[in-house]
């Protein structure tokens, strides 16, 4: 089982990034997918989630209207489009796959929002 995040980097405030998470080793379309983030010195927090077939999207209040989660089950990939980025969005972003008691994590990708 592998979840591989990509797309992180350094971006200026107000900019955009798109994160990707490529899944392998399990039946991706059976799993709800989530993006979490963890900023330095803070607990990991749920940013966005999407149901196994797409839809049923939910967002943290801090990112509503700025971030969009989506998935392509044909490509075994989940995305997080991040717009209007703020310095407080700086964190390591993790991809998470969940189905019942099964729970898989990626290693994360760093997003830094700074001028």
């Amino acid at each position: 089982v592998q979840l591989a995040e990509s797309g992180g980097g350094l971006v200026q405030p107000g900019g955009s990034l798109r994160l990707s998470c490529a899944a392998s080793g399990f039946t991706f379309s059976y799993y709800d997918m989530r993006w979490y983030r963890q900023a330095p010195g803070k607990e990991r927090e749920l940013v966005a989630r999407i149901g196994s077939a797409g839809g049923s999207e939910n967002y943290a209040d801090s990112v509503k209207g700025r971030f969009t989660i989506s998935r392509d089950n044909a490509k075994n990939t989940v995305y997080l489009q991040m717009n209007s980025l703020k310095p407080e969005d700086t964190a390591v972003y993790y991809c998470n796959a969940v189905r019942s008691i099964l729970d898989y994590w990626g290693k994360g990708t760093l997003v830094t929002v700074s001028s």
Side-chain angles (χ1 to χ4, degrees), residues 2 17-18 21-22 27 30 36 41 46 52 61-62 71-73 75 79 98 111:
Q2 185 173 15
L17 283 175
R18 188 176 84 152
C21 172
T27 307
Y30 289 179
Y36 283 79
L46 177 62
S52 57
D61 287 343
S62 58
R71 66 189 295 161
D72 185 340
N73 284 352
K75 295 183 178 180
Y79 305 97
V98 177
V111 173

Side-chain angles (χ1 to χ4, degrees), residues 12-60:
Q12 292 188 343
S16 298
L17 283 175
R18 188 176 84 152
L19 305 183
S20 299
C21 172
S24 60
F26 63 99
T27 307
F28 179 75
S29 62
Y30 289 179
Y31 285 69
D32 289 350
M33 297 300 298
R34 303 166 183 185
W35 285 98
Y36 283 79
R37 68 185 181 187
Q38 187 166 20
K42 295 189 177 181
E43 293 186 355
R44 191 172 296 190
E45 64 169 341
L46 177 62
V47 174
R49 64 203 304 172
I50 187 168
S52 57
S56 300
E57 299 157 22
N58 296 103
Y59 298 93

Side-chain angles (χ1 to χ4, degrees), residues 14-15 21 24 39-40 43 48 52 59 73 77 84-86 101 112-113 115:
C21 172
S24 60
E43 293 186 355
S52 57
Y59 298 93
N73 284 352
T77 302
S84 302
L85 283 160
K86 304 175 181 180
I101 62 171
T112 303
V113 185
S115 54

